[in-house]
Amino acid sequence: MRSLLDFLVRHSYVFLFILLEILSLVLLFGFNDRQKEAFWTSANSMSGTLFEWRSGVDGFFMLRKENAQLVEENTRLRNLLSAIADSQYVDLERSLSTEGVVAARVIDNSVRKDDNYITINKGRRDGIEPGMGVYCADGVVGVIMVSGRRYSVVMPILNGNTSISCKKKGSDSFGFLEWSGGDPYVAQLRDMPYHSAVEIGDTIVTTGFSSVFRENVPVGTVASVERSKNGYTLKVQVNLAVDLSDLSWVYINTQTADDEIEELYKEILN
């Protein structure tokens, strides 16, 4: 206590100076309109800067929520487009497909392995089943390989076991998109007929031959074309439309083919 009193006495002039300064400021801004206006303008400027900074920080943390909302909105729009497209081919007794596009967030991903996989946060409880097509805003991602109750594993284009039926946009000639490893941005379109008019820069899309992907979903663009060793087909290098190393959200096509069609395929294979 004695030390505190000694400190206050020793610095009494400083405390007196601060007190008089505060008093003078109160008198200056409290009884002079012009000075009061200048003070509040300055204060508002500082407050505005602080509020703007806080808003920026809040906005940063809100991006994820807003992004999720945008994805959900896109999902609703895609479902609407699917319904419109299906309405053009509706059978009076039975539709060939069931409506459905589900959005999912990517929670695990790999692009540098020989056989890569993607894990998403949707599963059987969300209507996800093996064999369903997975894509994003830029184009084809892959196919559902395994579906659990809450999560699913996607076999992406960057997997040696993936083979997707593709064609040049605006053409009926088709081949099969495969990935032989290495560059995660390039895949190969094999078994294209040699007479196909495929040129560098052409757009490659899905054929729509199966229920996995609708027709004309983007796959990539032609990087190079050469004739295969057999002389009857072309080997086409394709720059993939989707950067799988930078993937946050995907859509799953839950539309499935009519059961009768599936049974016919099984009978043929057996």
Side-chain angles (χ1 to χ4, degrees), residues 21-52:
E21 282 291 321
I22 294 173
L23 180 61
S24 63
L25 290 173
V26 169
L27 293 174
L28 176 63
F29 294 110
F31 298 97
N32 294 277
D33 293 336
R34 180 171 298 179
Q35 283 79 1
K36 183 190 299 185
E37 182 179 352
F39 172 78
W40 285 115
T41 300
S42 176
N44 286 337
S45 176
M46 289 186 292
S47 298
T49 301
L50 290 174
F51 288 144
E52 184 177 3

Side-chain angles (χ1 to χ4, degrees), residues 105-141:
R105 185 163 59 86
V106 174
I107 60 175
D108 189 36
N109 190 10
S110 64
V111 297
R112 299 295 179 182
K113 300 178 181 179
D114 292 334
D115 291 317
N116 296 286
Y117 296 96
I118 298 172
T119 305
I120 59 176
N121 68 339
K122 293 294 175 67
R124 290 193 304 270
R125 69 177 185 180
D126 306 292
I128 308 302
E129 298 292 342
M132 292 180 172
V134 182
Y135 60 99
C136 66
D138 293 326
V140 171
V141 172

